[in-house]
Amino acid sequence: MERYVKISKKDFYKWVDSLKKHGKVYAPKRKENTHVFRPIKDSSELDLNYISTILPPKKYYFPQKESLLKFSIKPFETAKAIQKFEEFVLFGVHTCDLAGIQCMDVVFREDPLDPNYINRKDRMTTVGIECLKPCDKHASCVSMGNHVPRGGYDIMLTEIKGSYIIHLNSQKGEDILQGHSYIKKCTQADRNLLDSLRKNKERVFKEEFIGQLTEVYTVFSKLSESGVWDDVGKRCVGCGNCTTVCPTCYCFDVKDELDLNLNDGLRYRWWNSCQMDDFARVAGGEDFRPGRVSRQRHRYYRKFKYPIDKFNRYFCTGCGRCSRTCMAKINLTETVNDLIKEHRNVSIGI
Amino acid sequence: MFQSEFKKIIPYSPYRTLPAEIIAVKPYTSLEKLFRLRLKGNAEFDYVPGQFMEISIFGSGEAPISLCSSPTDKGYFEITVRNVGSLTGALHNLKKGDLIGVRGPFGKGFPIDDFFGNDILIIAGGLGIVPLRGLIRYIMHQRKDFGEVQILLGCKSPEDMLFNDEVEQWGRHIDILFQCTVDKADPDWKGNIGLITNLIPGVTLNPMRTYAVVVGPPVMYKFVIKELLKKGIPDRQIILSLERRMKCGLGKCGHCQINGIYVCQEGPVFKYRDLRTLGEAL
């Protein structure tokens, strides 16, 4: 198959319905005035006209609660908790969330690698969808460079003039397209349309940060004691919404749950948040990251400083979820811009 | 070898624990007990003093606990645990013959290779003696590989002292200089009284060939390090072990992070030189 093919919108839903045979399909679906990723039974439930879902699709490859270990106390035994991982299709993923998947990949593939994550990811087929217009004032995908496809998908859909242009990025991608006569070759004219669409996006999508990422990194390297953190920390209510909805937050806690017989049980991992006040507290009572100022700063540094040093990758995807969900109206773009402004002022001696 | 035993199962499930039998329990104080453990099947395993294990009591959970024995102690390994929570409480209720789950060893231990041929100044405050006991035992077993060895030990009161049977021996060793201080003495106490920091100025040492190994409560580090630097010991030769909540041991769960560093992977033992720029470290 060619690397670029296309499908008309008329046939598109037929094809979506055919995906079932490749596993459960998770896709954006309307929920009240917003959208969520949910399993869909047929294409009528799908709604691709959406801005970021409440939760990122990480819940499917890094579940909120997952079992790690089966145990019994007497006789003392342990066993693998999950016997089988299932094939699934993650459908209609925006490019910001694809960047999130790539970040998680880097973390969980790093030695010692995480078999649960890898097993799930190996069975996941990812279908991306390109955004054609900026979503809302909370996103910062342009500054983060994630408003255009940068890999991380099996196929990518771009809607152009009554059709979807499909970019194939893997064998898995080819597998879900094969055998459908309505999937057509892309003509040169179609490719030209795609090129001009991307050019047009450069005009429509405006950078949200007042500086380039290299400047952002420098600012974070220098301003860990900035008053900006005091302001953010004072407003923060410590609810942990920002980390829950973040596509690149992966911290977790490990807990045991016993059956009613108090002998057999499961060890789980649960999403946890560095914004919780007991996150860095040890049994002896010492808290190694006390106060919301340092905990908020930590969250930001885990997006704009530490992962760059470690993986050469920004862990903010620009999806805007943390700002959208914040009860205290802490806005990521504002925070970053305030830091940049402060740094520029300091540099010129104001 | 346990390490390779564990490595064998890591690719399938790094959260699987291996069963270890409690072969002896020794209470030291009203709160602390030593547990001597052996892997089921008597498998030996290799580790470095300063490394830690993840200890499981099923139903109560899992926690990182320092090894307090030395790899030169053959046929068993030991942990010493303070009863402070549900897991440690459950552990304290266990007896000889009971089984617990273990994973590890994790982290980087004391840089023993760097220590060879150099003088060692060990400074232990409170529970800091626990991981350092493994190092002290190692040094005593391989005594000729090291230069001068001095131990400064500090604890709250004489009855809070851990490993008192062994501490007495250290005091009698002619090839080890040993000093002890307590915050609050009782009438029988013959040693020093006061903070451990006060002992450092009186120590005779050759700073360029001395490694200072410091483990104690967070509040102790700042003051001890200041005294050591005053003595002229270079920051690369000041070795610290940091306590953090190392939940998974695999560099993933995030609880133990100091700035961008995962303590369970890059620590818990650090050179002071590498901590100077980490704001959250000390």
Side-chain angles (χ1 to χ4, degrees):
Chain A
M1 209 178 261
E2 308 266 337
R3 288 217 69 187
Y4 285 90
V5 291
K6 73 171 179 179
I7 183 169
S8 75
K9 282 190 92 170
K10 171 170 67 68
D11 298 319
F12 178 72
Y13 292 95
K14 233 189 296 173
W15 171 66
V16 173
D17 283 326
S18 80
L19 293 175
K20 266 179 255 172
K21 61 174 184 283
H22 300 278
K24 221 174 202 169
V25 180
Y26 300 108
K29 208 173 145 173
R30 197 159 185 86
K31 185 183 182 184
E32 294 168 28
N33 60 350
T34 177
H35 286 81
V36 289
F37 274 97
R38 293 291 293 158
I40 58 161
K41 283 192 207 74
D42 65 76
S43 57
S44 64
E45 296 178 66
L46 174 73
D47 185 0
L48 284 176
N49 185 20
Y50 77 106
I51 67 163
S52 286
T53 49
I54 301 174
L55 285 174
K58 75 173 174 185
K59 60 185 178 180
Y60 295 120
Y61 46 87
F62 179 59
Q64 190 261 337
K65 179 183 180 186
E66 72 178 308
S67 30
L68 297 173
L69 184 74
K70 229 167 144 173
F71 61 78
S72 79
I73 298 171
K74 270 178 190 160
F76 188 99
E77 270 169 10
T78 63
K80 250 162 83 171
I82 302 172
Q83 297 305 331
K84 201 168 168 277
F85 293 87
E86 282 170 0
E87 296 284 333
F88 66 101
V89 180
L90 194 56
F91 192 90
V93 186
H94 284 164
T95 44
C96 54
D97 284 339
L98 290 169
I101 296 173
Q102 288 171 307
C103 290
M104 294 281 235
D105 280 353
V106 172
V107 170
F108 286 109
R109 281 180 203 283
E110 195 198 18
D111 186 51
L113 55 76
D114 191 277
N116 277 21
Y117 180 87
I118 307 287
N119 276 324
R120 276 204 188 79
K121 277 301 304 291
D122 283 350
R123 286 161 184 77
M124 172 169 122
T125 308
T126 316
V127 180
I129 178 118
E130 186 167 0
C131 295
L132 303 180
K133 53 180 197 292
C135 55
D136 66 7
K137 61 176 193 243
H138 297 294
S140 57
C141 56
V142 189
S143 280
M144 297 317 298
N146 290 329
H147 61 307
V148 285
R150 295 205 303 186
Y153 51 83
D154 294 297
I155 59 172
M156 170 58 66
L157 311 169
T158 309
E159 188 185 344
I160 296 179
K161 292 197 171 163
S163 292
Y164 285 99
I165 303 234
I166 302 175
H167 178 227
L168 269 90
N169 206 24
S170 74
Q171 183 57 51
K172 254 188 174 172
E174 192 169 333
D175 292 345
I176 60 168
L177 293 168
Q178 215 128 43
H180 302 293
S181 54
Y182 46 75
I183 289 173
K184 302 274 192 314
K185 266 188 169 172
C186 242
T187 61
Q188 189 54 46
D190 293 323
R191 292 294 303 279
N192 293 345
L193 278 173
L194 186 63
D195 288 344
S196 63
L197 176 136
R198 295 262 164 84
K199 274 226 170 68
N200 187 40
K201 271 179 82 168
E202 278 172 33
R203 265 192 316 108
V204 183
F205 283 73
K206 299 267 191 287
E207 296 219 4
E208 300 87 354
F209 297 163
I210 54 174
Q212 300 293 308
L213 282 181
T214 43
E215 186 179 2
V216 173
Y217 176 79
T218 310
V219 165
F220 272 80
S221 303
K222 291 188 175 163
L223 291 187
S224 62
E225 298 304 324
S226 161
V228 172
W229 300 123
D230 295 326
D231 171 55
V232 168
K234 260 185 220 145
R235 285 150 66 201
C236 174
V237 294
C239 67
N241 277 357
C242 48
T243 54
T244 306
V245 301
C246 179
T248 71
C249 272
Y250 56 86
C251 287
F252 56 84
D253 202 358
V254 181
K255 285 179 182 166
D256 290 359
E257 254 181 28
L258 280 171
D259 291 351
L260 272 175
N261 65 13
L262 298 181
N263 187 64
D264 310 328
L266 280 171
R267 178 163 289 173
Y268 292 100
R269 75 169 160 209
W270 311 59
W271 290 355
N272 200 339
S273 168
C274 61
Q275 301 306 301
M276 301 290 107
D277 68 349
D278 62 350
F279 187 79
R281 194 181 298 150
V282 293
E286 191 85 31
D287 183 0
F288 291 102
R289 197 174 299 108
R292 289 174 205 162
V293 172
S294 55
R295 288 196 285 270
Q296 271 296 333
R297 178 177 52 205
H298 182 70
R299 174 172 80 88
Y300 276 95
Y301 272 67
R302 280 193 59 138
K303 308 298 161 200
F304 292 101
K305 171 77 170 72
Y306 307 148
I308 295 86
D309 297 337
K310 194 169 182 187
F311 303 120
N312 194 26
R313 186 180 286 273
Y314 287 87
F315 267 45
C316 176
T317 66
C319 70
R321 284 188 181 90
C322 55
S323 310
R324 226 170 269 128
T325 194
C326 183
M327 299 195 283
K329 299 203 162 39
I330 294 169
N331 183 293
L332 181 132
T333 305
E334 258 171 47
T335 309
V336 171
N337 285 342
D338 285 351
L339 286 167
I340 295 174
K341 276 181 221 157
E342 181 180 324
H343 184 247
R344 286 179 186 171
N345 287 344
V346 170
S347 323
I348 57 170
I350 292 173
Chain B
M1 285 288 136
F2 175 32
Q3 212 159 10
S4 52
E5 285 288 312
F6 188 65
K7 283 218 168 108
K8 253 189 264 165
I9 61 169
I10 260 197
Y12 309 105
S13 180
Y15 295 97
R16 282 290 280 279
T17 63
L18 295 174
E21 187 186 341
I22 299 177
I23 54 175
V25 183
K26 190 170 181 179
Y28 268 113
T29 71
S30 57
L31 278 179
E32 285 105 7
K33 279 183 183 173
L34 176 143
F35 296 86
R36 181 170 289 185
L37 304 164
R38 187 161 55 206
L39 285 181
K40 253 197 134 183
N42 288 343
E44 286 281 336
F45 77 102
D46 204 14
Y47 58 94
V48 179
Q51 282 189 298
F52 67 95
M53 303 291 284
E54 293 284 351
I55 301 291
S56 276
I57 308 289
F58 293 132
S60 301
E62 196 178 41
I65 310 275
S66 290
L67 285 154
C68 72
S69 51
S70 157
T72 50
D73 294 319
K74 293 293 175 198
Y76 64 87
F77 62 99
E78 289 171 329
I79 56 174
T80 299
V81 181
R82 177 178 283 178
N83 183 354
V84 284
S86 60
L87 182 139
T88 50
L91 180 60
H92 270 244
N93 285 334
L94 297 183
K95 296 177 298 294
K96 188 180 168 193
D98 288 337
L99 291 173
I100 62 170
V102 299
R103 294 192 291 138
F106 291 112
K108 293 203 170 69
F110 298 112
I112 289 182
D113 291 354
D114 298 2
F115 294 171
F116 287 145
N118 288 300
D119 299 343
I120 312 292
L121 170 63
I122 289 171
I123 302 176
L127 279 182
I129 189 61
V130 173
L132 285 173
R133 179 216 184 219
L135 176 66
I136 293 170
R137 290 183 70 80
Y138 185 92
I139 291 174
M140 287 171 67
H141 291 152
Q142 316 275 349
R143 183 64 188 87
K144 66 173 176 16
D145 293 334
F146 304 91
E148 297 292 331
V149 176
Q150 307 194 51
I151 301 172
L152 308 181
L153 174 64
C155 53
K156 277 203 186 104
S157 69
E159 62 264 30
D160 288 321
M161 191 184 286
L162 288 167
F163 316 120
N164 38 22
D165 45 346
E166 292 175 39
V167 165
E168 213 170 292
Q169 285 179 28
W170 302 341
R172 274 187 263 135
H173 262 265
I174 51 158
D175 52 3
I176 290 173
L177 282 166
F178 178 80
Q179 289 190 73
C180 186
T181 182
V182 296
D183 296 349
K184 227 181 85 196
D186 57 25
D188 297 333
W189 181 249
K190 296 185 194 73
N192 301 290
I193 301 171
L195 293 175
I196 199 160
T197 338
N198 301 339
L199 296 181
I200 301 171
V203 168
T204 312
L205 53 78
N206 177 348
M208 292 324 283
R209 51 167 296 170
T210 297
Y211 273 88
V213 193
V214 190
V215 189
V219 58
M220 185 184 103
Y221 286 119
K222 220 174 24 200
F223 300 103
V224 168
I225 289 166
K226 212 165 128 195
E227 291 300 325
L228 294 172
L229 291 172
K230 261 196 237 164
K231 281 272 177 194
I233 300 178
D235 57 4
R236 63 178 183 278
Q237 284 164 221
I238 299 175
I239 311 296
L240 314 167
S241 176
L242 300 184
E243 182 187 14
R244 287 297 184 275
R245 190 173 160 196
M246 295 168 288
K247 194 82 206 186
C248 73
L250 305 163
K252 304 278 188 278
C253 80
H255 290 270
C256 69
Q257 214 174 338
I258 296 178
N259 295 74
I261 302 278
Y262 282 93
V263 176
C264 70
Q265 297 283 299
E266 319 225 348
V269 175
F270 294 95
K271 296 186 166 86
Y272 176 55
R273 179 194 60 194
D274 301 330
L275 296 179
R276 288 191 111 153
T277 52
L278 294 180
E280 294 181 337
L282 294 169

mmCIF file with all atom_site columns, all heavy atoms in Angstrom, chain A residues 282-285, chain B residues 31-32 81-89 92 127:
data_model
loop_
_atom_site.group_PDB
_atom_site.id
_atom_site.type_symbol
_atom_site.label_atom_id
_atom_site.label_alt_id
_atom_site.label_comp_id
_atom_site.label_asym_id
_atom_site.label_entity_id
_atom_site.label_seq_id
_atom_site.pdbx_PDB_ins_code
_atom_site.Cartn_x
_atom_site.Cartn_y
_atom_site.Cartn_z
_atom_site.occupancy
_atom_site.B_iso_or_equiv
_atom_site.pdbx_formal_charge
_atom_site.auth_seq_id
_atom_site.auth_comp_id
_atom_site.auth_asym_id
_atom_site.auth_atom_id
_atom_site.pdbx_PDB_model_num
ATOM 1   N N   . VAL A 1 282 ? 7.453  10.484 54.151 1.00 0.00 ? 282 VAL A N   1
ATOM 2   C CA  . VAL A 1 282 ? 7.888  9.123  54.504 1.00 0.00 ? 282 VAL A CA  1
ATOM 3   C C   . VAL A 1 282 ? 7.238  8.707  55.827 1.00 0.00 ? 282 VAL A C   1
ATOM 4   O O   . VAL A 1 282 ? 6.657  9.532  56.540 1.00 0.00 ? 282 VAL A O   1
ATOM 5   C CB  . VAL A 1 282 ? 9.421  9.014  54.600 1.00 0.00 ? 282 VAL A CB  1
ATOM 6   C CG1 . VAL A 1 282 ? 10.057 9.208  53.241 1.00 0.00 ? 282 VAL A CG1 1
ATOM 7   C CG2 . VAL A 1 282 ? 9.985  10.000 55.608 1.00 0.00 ? 282 VAL A CG2 1
ATOM 8   N N   . ALA A 1 283 ? 7.386  7.410  56.142 1.00 0.00 ? 283 ALA A N   1
ATOM 9   C CA  . ALA A 1 283 ? 6.698  6.846  57.311 1.00 0.00 ? 283 ALA A CA  1
ATOM 10  C C   . ALA A 1 283 ? 7.045  7.603  58.594 1.00 0.00 ? 283 ALA A C   1
ATOM 11  O O   . ALA A 1 283 ? 6.199  7.792  59.460 1.00 0.00 ? 283 ALA A O   1
ATOM 12  C CB  . ALA A 1 283 ? 7.032  5.374  57.457 1.00 0.00 ? 283 ALA A CB  1
ATOM 13  N N   . GLY A 1 284 ? 8.287  8.051  58.695 1.00 0.00 ? 284 GLY A N   1
ATOM 14  C CA  . GLY A 1 284 ? 8.722  8.753  59.897 1.00 0.00 ? 284 GLY A CA  1
ATOM 15  C C   . GLY A 1 284 ? 8.089  10.128 60.070 1.00 0.00 ? 284 GLY A C   1
ATOM 16  O O   . GLY A 1 284 ? 8.250  10.758 61.108 1.00 0.00 ? 284 GLY A O   1
ATOM 17  N N   . GLY A 1 285 ? 7.386  10.618 59.025 1.00 0.00 ? 285 GLY A N   1
ATOM 18  C CA  . GLY A 1 285 ? 6.672  11.873 59.141 1.00 0.00 ? 285 GLY A CA  1
ATOM 19  C C   . GLY A 1 285 ? 7.314  13.021 58.372 1.00 0.00 ? 285 GLY A C   1
ATOM 20  O O   . GLY A 1 285 ? 6.674  14.042 58.139 1.00 0.00 ? 285 GLY A O   1
ATOM 21  N N   . LEU B 2 31  ? 11.163 0.128  69.961 1.00 0.00 ? 31  LEU B N   1
ATOM 22  C CA  . LEU B 2 31  ? 10.582 0.387  68.645 1.00 0.00 ? 31  LEU B CA  1
ATOM 23  C C   . LEU B 2 31  ? 11.284 -0.339 67.503 1.00 0.00 ? 31  LEU B C   1
ATOM 24  O O   . LEU B 2 31  ? 10.711 -0.498 66.435 1.00 0.00 ? 31  LEU B O   1
ATOM 25  C CB  . LEU B 2 31  ? 10.628 1.900  68.351 1.00 0.00 ? 31  LEU B CB  1
ATOM 26  C CG  . LEU B 2 31  ? 9.544  2.783  68.929 1.00 0.00 ? 31  LEU B CG  1
ATOM 27  C CD1 . LEU B 2 31  ? 9.796  4.233  68.527 1.00 0.00 ? 31  LEU B CD1 1
ATOM 28  C CD2 . LEU B 2 31  ? 8.169  2.348  68.425 1.00 0.00 ? 31  LEU B CD2 1
ATOM 29  N N   . GLU B 2 32  ? 12.526 -0.734 67.719 1.00 0.00 ? 32  GLU B N   1
ATOM 30  C CA  . GLU B 2 32  ? 13.277 -1.285 66.585 1.00 0.00 ? 32  GLU B CA  1
ATOM 31  C C   . GLU B 2 32  ? 13.644 -2.747 66.780 1.00 0.00 ? 32  GLU B C   1
ATOM 32  O O   . GLU B 2 32  ? 14.105 -3.148 67.846 1.00 0.00 ? 32  GLU B O   1
ATOM 33  C CB  . GLU B 2 32  ? 14.565 -0.479 66.341 1.00 0.00 ? 32  GLU B CB  1
ATOM 34  C CG  . GLU B 2 32  ? 14.327 0.858  65.683 1.00 0.00 ? 32  GLU B CG  1
ATOM 35  C CD  . GLU B 2 32  ? 14.460 2.018  66.651 1.00 0.00 ? 32  GLU B CD  1
ATOM 36  O OE1 . GLU B 2 32  ? 14.866 1.764  67.797 1.00 0.00 ? 32  GLU B OE1 1
ATOM 37  O OE2 . GLU B 2 32  ? 14.138 3.155  66.260 1.00 0.00 ? 32  GLU B OE2 1
ATOM 38  N N   . VAL B 2 81  ? 14.146 -2.510 61.476 1.00 0.00 ? 81  VAL B N   1
ATOM 39  C CA  . VAL B 2 81  ? 12.954 -1.745 61.146 1.00 0.00 ? 81  VAL B CA  1
ATOM 40  C C   . VAL B 2 81  ? 12.358 -1.106 62.388 1.00 0.00 ? 81  VAL B C   1
ATOM 41  O O   . VAL B 2 81  ? 12.189 -1.760 63.419 1.00 0.00 ? 81  VAL B O   1
ATOM 42  C CB  . VAL B 2 81  ? 11.904 -2.674 60.488 1.00 0.00 ? 81  VAL B CB  1
ATOM 43  C CG1 . VAL B 2 81  ? 10.662 -1.888 60.110 1.00 0.00 ? 81  VAL B CG1 1
ATOM 44  C CG2 . VAL B 2 81  ? 12.498 -3.355 59.266 1.00 0.00 ? 81  VAL B CG2 1
ATOM 45  N N   . ARG B 2 82  ? 12.030 0.177  62.268 1.00 0.00 ? 82  ARG B N   1
ATOM 46  C CA  . ARG B 2 82  ? 11.317 0.874  63.338 1.00 0.00 ? 82  ARG B CA  1
ATOM 47  C C   . ARG B 2 82  ? 9.816  0.714  63.110 1.00 0.00 ? 82  ARG B C   1
ATOM 48  O O   . ARG B 2 82  ? 9.332  0.851  61.985 1.00 0.00 ? 82  ARG B O   1
ATOM 49  C CB  . ARG B 2 82  ? 11.688 2.366  63.345 1.00 0.00 ? 82  ARG B CB  1
ATOM 50  C CG  . ARG B 2 82  ? 10.934 3.165  64.392 1.00 0.00 ? 82  ARG B CG  1
ATOM 51  C CD  . ARG B 2 82  ? 11.353 4.611  64.422 1.00 0.00 ? 82  ARG B CD  1
ATOM 52  N NE  . ARG B 2 82  ? 12.646 4.773  65.103 1.00 0.00 ? 82  ARG B NE  1
ATOM 53  C CZ  . ARG B 2 82  ? 13.258 5.955  65.238 1.00 0.00 ? 82  ARG B CZ  1
ATOM 54  N NH1 . ARG B 2 82  ? 12.706 7.042  64.728 1.00 0.00 ? 82  ARG B NH1 1
ATOM 55  N NH2 . ARG B 2 82  ? 14.420 6.023  65.856 1.00 0.00 ? 82  ARG B NH2 1
ATOM 56  N N   . ASN B 2 83  ? 9.101  0.425  64.174 1.00 0.00 ? 83  ASN B N   1
ATOM 57  C CA  . ASN B 2 83  ? 7.664  0.251  64.085 1.00 0.00 ? 83  ASN B CA  1
ATOM 58  C C   . ASN B 2 83  ? 6.982  1.624  64.059 1.00 0.00 ? 83  ASN B C   1
ATOM 59  O O   . ASN B 2 83  ? 6.790  2.249  65.090 1.00 0.00 ? 83  ASN B O   1
ATOM 60  C CB  . ASN B 2 83  ? 7.199  -0.567 65.299 1.00 0.00 ? 83  ASN B CB  1
ATOM 61  C CG  . ASN B 2 83  ? 5.717  -0.856 65.249 1.00 0.00 ? 83  ASN B CG  1
ATOM 62  O OD1 . ASN B 2 83  ? 5.008  -0.365 64.379 1.00 0.00 ? 83  ASN B OD1 1
ATOM 63  N ND2 . ASN B 2 83  ? 5.254  -1.663 66.189 1.00 0.00 ? 83  ASN B ND2 1
ATOM 64  N N   . VAL B 2 84  ? 6.679  2.094  62.831 1.00 0.00 ? 84  VAL B N   1
ATOM 65  C CA  . VAL B 2 84  ? 6.070  3.427  62.725 1.00 0.00 ? 84  VAL B CA  1
ATOM 66  C C   . VAL B 2 84  ? 4.737  3.449  61.985 1.00 0.00 ? 84  VAL B C   1
ATOM 67  O O   . VAL B 2 84  ? 4.056  4.462  61.994 1.00 0.00 ? 84  VAL B O   1
ATOM 68  C CB  . VAL B 2 84  ? 6.992  4.453  62.013 1.00 0.00 ? 84  VAL B CB  1
ATOM 69  C CG1 . VAL B 2 84  ? 8.084  4.922  62.921 1.00 0.00 ? 84  VAL B CG1 1
ATOM 70  C CG2 . VAL B 2 84  ? 7.523  3.899  60.716 1.00 0.00 ? 84  VAL B CG2 1
ATOM 71  N N   . GLY B 2 85  ? 4.379  2.365  61.324 1.00 0.00 ? 85  GLY B N   1
ATOM 72  C CA  . GLY B 2 85  ? 3.151  2.418  60.529 1.00 0.00 ? 85  GLY B CA  1
ATOM 73  C C   . GLY B 2 85  ? 2.519  1.047  60.426 1.00 0.00 ? 85  GLY B C   1
ATOM 74  O O   . GLY B 2 85  ? 2.856  0.141  61.193 1.00 0.00 ? 85  GLY B O   1
ATOM 75  N N   . SER B 2 86  ? 1.588  0.907  59.457 1.00 0.00 ? 86  SER B N   1
ATOM 76  C CA  . SER B 2 86  ? 0.852  -0.351 59.388 1.00 0.00 ? 86  SER B CA  1
ATOM 77  C C   . SER B 2 86  ? 1.749  -1.489 58.893 1.00 0.00 ? 86  SER B C   1
ATOM 78  O O   . SER B 2 86  ? 1.723  -2.590 59.429 1.00 0.00 ? 86  SER B O   1
ATOM 79  C CB  . SER B 2 86  ? -0.384 -0.194 58.501 1.00 0.00 ? 86  SER B CB  1
ATOM 80  O OG  . SER B 2 86  ? 0.006  0.184  57.204 1.00 0.00 ? 86  SER B OG  1
ATOM 81  N N   . LEU B 2 87  ? 2.579  -1.184 57.875 1.00 0.00 ? 87  LEU B N   1
ATOM 82  C CA  . LEU B 2 87  ? 3.421  -2.253 57.348 1.00 0.00 ? 87  LEU B CA  1
ATOM 83  C C   . LEU B 2 87  ? 4.500  -2.657 58.359 1.00 0.00 ? 87  LEU B C   1
ATOM 84  O O   . LEU B 2 87  ? 4.698  -3.841 58.638 1.00 0.00 ? 87  LEU B O   1
ATOM 85  C CB  . LEU B 2 87  ? 4.070  -1.806 56.038 1.00 0.00 ? 87  LEU B CB  1
ATOM 86  C CG  . LEU B 2 87  ? 4.945  -2.847 55.354 1.00 0.00 ? 87  LEU B CG  1
ATOM 87  C CD1 . LEU B 2 87  ? 4.729  -2.831 53.864 1.00 0.00 ? 87  LEU B CD1 1
ATOM 88  C CD2 . LEU B 2 87  ? 6.418  -2.679 55.643 1.00 0.00 ? 87  LEU B CD2 1
ATOM 89  N N   . THR B 2 88  ? 5.174  -1.673 58.911 1.00 0.00 ? 88  THR B N   1
ATOM 90  C CA  . THR B 2 88  ? 6.232  -1.999 59.867 1.00 0.00 ? 88  THR B CA  1
ATOM 91  C C   . THR B 2 88  ? 5.631  -2.618 61.131 1.00 0.00 ? 88  THR B C   1
ATOM 92  O O   . THR B 2 88  ? 6.238  -3.490 61.751 1.00 0.00 ? 88  THR B O   1
ATOM 93  C CB  . THR B 2 88  ? 7.066  -0.749 60.206 1.00 0.00 ? 88  THR B CB  1
ATOM 94  O OG1 . THR B 2 88  ? 6.181  0.320  60.547 1.00 0.00 ? 88  THR B OG1 1
ATOM 95  C CG2 . THR B 2 88  ? 7.934  -0.338 59.041 1.00 0.00 ? 88  THR B CG2 1
ATOM 96  N N   . GLY B 2 89  ? 4.410  -2.184 61.471 1.00 0.00 ? 89  GLY B N   1
ATOM 97  C CA  . GLY B 2 89  ? 3.718  -2.786 62.610 1.00 0.00 ? 89  GLY B CA  1
ATOM 98  C C   . GLY B 2 89  ? 3.447  -4.266 62.359 1.00 0.00 ? 89  GLY B C   1
ATOM 99  O O   . GLY B 2 89  ? 3.679  -5.119 63.222 1.00 0.00 ? 89  GLY B O   1
ATOM 100 N N   . HIS B 2 92  ? 6.593  -6.240 62.597 1.00 0.00 ? 92  HIS B N   1
ATOM 101 C CA  . HIS B 2 92  ? 7.008  -6.456 63.990 1.00 0.00 ? 92  HIS B CA  1
ATOM 102 C C   . HIS B 2 92  ? 6.247  -7.592 64.666 1.00 0.00 ? 92  HIS B C   1
ATOM 103 O O   . HIS B 2 92  ? 6.716  -8.158 65.640 1.00 0.00 ? 92  HIS B O   1
ATOM 104 C CB  . HIS B 2 92  ? 6.855  -5.149 64.789 1.00 0.00 ? 92  HIS B CB  1
ATOM 105 C CG  . HIS B 2 92  ? 8.086  -4.301 64.771 1.00 0.00 ? 92  HIS B CG  1
ATOM 106 N ND1 . HIS B 2 92  ? 8.810  -4.018 65.892 1.00 0.00 ? 92  HIS B ND1 1
ATOM 107 C CD2 . HIS B 2 92  ? 8.751  -3.714 63.742 1.00 0.00 ? 92  HIS B CD2 1
ATOM 108 C CE1 . HIS B 2 92  ? 9.862  -3.266 65.566 1.00 0.00 ? 92  HIS B CE1 1
ATOM 109 N NE2 . HIS B 2 92  ? 9.833  -3.069 64.269 1.00 0.00 ? 92  HIS B NE2 1
ATOM 110 N N   . LEU B 2 127 ? 18.663 6.679  63.259 1.00 0.00 ? 127 LEU B N   1
ATOM 111 C CA  . LEU B 2 127 ? 18.493 5.471  62.448 1.00 0.00 ? 127 LEU B CA  1
ATOM 112 C C   . LEU B 2 127 ? 19.533 5.364  61.340 1.00 0.00 ? 127 LEU B C   1
ATOM 113 O O   . LEU B 2 127 ? 19.619 4.345  60.662 1.00 0.00 ? 127 LEU B O   1
ATOM 114 C CB  . LEU B 2 127 ? 17.095 5.446  61.814 1.00 0.00 ? 127 LEU B CB  1
ATOM 115 C CG  . LEU B 2 127 ? 15.934 4.971  62.697 1.00 0.00 ? 127 LEU B CG  1
ATOM 116 C CD1 . LEU B 2 127 ? 14.650 4.965  61.882 1.00 0.00 ? 127 LEU B CD1 1
ATOM 117 C CD2 . LEU B 2 127 ? 16.196 3.575  63.235 1.00 0.00 ? 127 LEU B CD2 1
#
